Amino acid sequence: MIHETSAKLTAGAVLAFSARDADHVTITQIHDAARWDALLALADRPHLTQTFAYGAAKATQNWKLIRVCLSIGDVPIALCQVLEKRVLGIRVVSRINRGPVMLETNPSNERVLAAYRAIRQRWGHWYSGPLSIAPALTQSDENAALLRQAGYKFRGVKGWWSGRIDLTQPVEAIKAGFASTFRNRLRKTLESALTLRVASDIQTVDWMIARHVENMREKSFTAVDANFLINLRATAPQDYIVFQAMLDDKPIAGMSVVRFGDIAEYHTGWFGPEGRDANAGNFLMWAIMAEMKARGCTTFDIGGLHEGHGYTQFKRGMRPLEYQLAGEWVAF
């Protein structure tokens, strides 16, 4: 059991650490959503894939979900959701997506090494299936060396690439940070007949999911499926929010965001012909930032970038602070 006090659970909690302590990380399961959320809130850079709701949704897709806290002494240092695929009860592979999430701001390399080594020692064995991991570490030579030291091998696959916008700025400062083309198109939409609708009710969410499925079918791409989105929303309905651009009381475009802690992340989007003609994407992205800032969010994650995609060029027009994670690694 993890013993914790509010004094210990602060971003500034520091322990004396030596290389030998890397072998003394304890791993404890967590089952309570409130406890998980409270710990995740300590992380400087949490990720949607490590939220309680995301894990619950994945657990409906033939994965066994294990939520763990890594600690040294009485102090939690990291959280991680591990997905295990089993055949006839035998674990054949384990998967970690953008984790473990460190619970300190700027943790030492030794502390990070300890967490990743403990995860590898627990799940990365050939006799119980390999561990496939997309680490929650930014891409750098230093982090690659650290992962190799912890016993992982790089698979040659690039990591998650996205960008974040600081919502603690005044709204006009956020807008001023956009590229001129994005800003000019936004100005025109704000002067147009477009109106905004924001909702989290099940009917609106169902509408958004149906548009997402329709979008995948028409444009021949693969993303999260309808069942996953339904279960994601069911776990945290207040944090699954749909934004609709309306023209003559009809939705012509829509976007969904998921909130976790003080971060809002873009998740799915759809644009009808009228929505594309009206530059509804600019209108909705700005509406999301303004609304989520008003709701207390400090960060907006634009929800992923992909090389060569036109939508990536559009998102980069918001001039987010881009980041890329360390790629795909394996241990066995």
Side-chain angles (χ1 to χ4, degrees):
M1 174 137 186
I2 301 169
H3 302 286
E4 54 198 48
T5 66
S6 59
K8 288 174 181 173
L9 292 181
T10 65
V14 176
L15 294 175
F17 190 89
S18 68
R20 193 173 66 176
D21 289 325
D23 297 323
H24 298 288
V25 173
T26 58
I27 298 178
T28 308
Q29 287 196 49
I30 295 181
H31 303 283
D32 179 66
R35 190 180 186 192
W36 184 269
D37 291 344
L39 286 167
L40 191 65
L42 302 175
D44 185 47
R45 284 290 181 264
H47 289 279
L48 174 61
T49 53
Q50 292 296 311
T51 62
F52 196 94
Y54 193 97
K58 290 298 289 185
T60 66
Q61 298 187 312
N62 299 317
W63 289 95
K64 178 181 179 181
L65 172 66
I66 301 175
R67 296 185 179 93
V68 297
C69 179
L70 285 70
S71 303
I72 296 177
D74 289 335
V75 178
I77 65 167
L79 289 182
C80 190
Q81 294 192 134
V82 184
L83 297 165
E84 296 182 348
K85 185 73 72 175
R86 292 175 176 260
V87 177
L88 300 177
I90 299 172
R91 190 173 74 215
V92 295
V93 67
S94 301
R95 173 66 177 164
I96 297 172
N97 190 4
R98 288 187 263 164
V101 174
M102 303 302 295
L103 300 182
E104 294 176 299
T105 301
N106 299 320
S108 67
N109 284 349
E110 291 82 3
R111 192 70 61 83
V112 175
L113 176 62
Y116 279 86
R117 182 175 287 163
I119 290 291
R120 193 263 303 164
Q121 290 172 347
R122 173 65 178 80
W123 277 277
H125 299 288
W126 64 266
Y127 54 81
S128 59
L131 169 62
S132 172
I133 182 170
L137 297 173
T138 54
Q139 184 181 46
S140 70
D141 292 341
E142 181 180 33
N143 283 335
L146 185 151
L147 287 163
R148 292 188 178 95
Q149 186 179 354
Y152 298 87
K153 298 182 184 299
F154 183 52
R155 292 177 52 203
V157 179
K158 291 183 178 180
W160 170 257
W161 173 32
S162 191
R164 287 177 167 175
I165 295 173
D166 178 10
L167 299 184
T168 64
Q169 308 172 80
V171 289
E172 291 307 315
I174 296 172
K175 190 185 296 184
F178 299 155
S180 59
T181 300
F182 189 100
R183 193 168 57 249
N184 290 335
R185 288 175 177 169
L186 171 61
R187 178 180 52 78
K188 291 177 181 178
T189 68
L190 295 177
E191 295 170 353
S192 72
L194 289 178
T195 58
L196 176 68
R197 181 173 180 267
V198 182
S200 294
D201 62 276
I202 191 62
Q203 292 82 9
T204 304
V205 171
D206 285 346
W207 173 88
M208 186 71 246
I209 292 173
R211 301 290 76 71
H212 169 68
V213 172
E214 174 186 303
N215 208 26
M216 288 194 293
R217 182 176 61 251
E218 291 181 353
K219 296 181 181 178
S220 301
F221 71 93
T222 302
V224 289
D225 63 27
N227 287 334
F228 174 86
L229 294 172
I230 290 168
N231 285 297
L232 178 65
R233 189 264 178 192
T235 303
Q238 72 283 359
D239 293 326
Y240 195 104
I241 306 159
V242 175
F243 291 73
Q244 294 173 314
M246 311 289 291
L247 186 62
D248 298 327
D249 294 324
K250 182 183 79 171
I252 61 171
M255 292 182 179
S256 69
V257 300
V258 180
R259 176 176 182 164
F260 51 104
D262 60 4
I263 297 176
E265 183 166 316
Y266 169 87
H267 207 229
T268 63
W270 167 82
F271 303 92
E274 292 174 291
R276 287 189 290 271
D277 291 343
N279 292 317
N282 302 71
F283 178 81
L284 287 174
M285 283 293 191
W286 173 244
I288 288 169
M289 284 180 257
E291 176 68 18
M292 299 315 293
K293 175 180 171 64
R295 294 190 186 197
C297 287
T298 63
T299 304
F300 174 53
D301 194 303
I302 63 175
L305 297 167
H306 303 276
E307 198 69 48
H309 287 204
Y311 204 33
T312 289
Q313 184 178 355
F314 163 74
K315 287 182 177 181
R316 295 183 91 178
M318 293 181 283
R319 299 275 177 82
L321 179 61
E322 296 183 19
Y323 66 94
Q324 186 160 19
L325 300 186
E328 295 283 342
W329 296 71
V330 65
F332 48 82

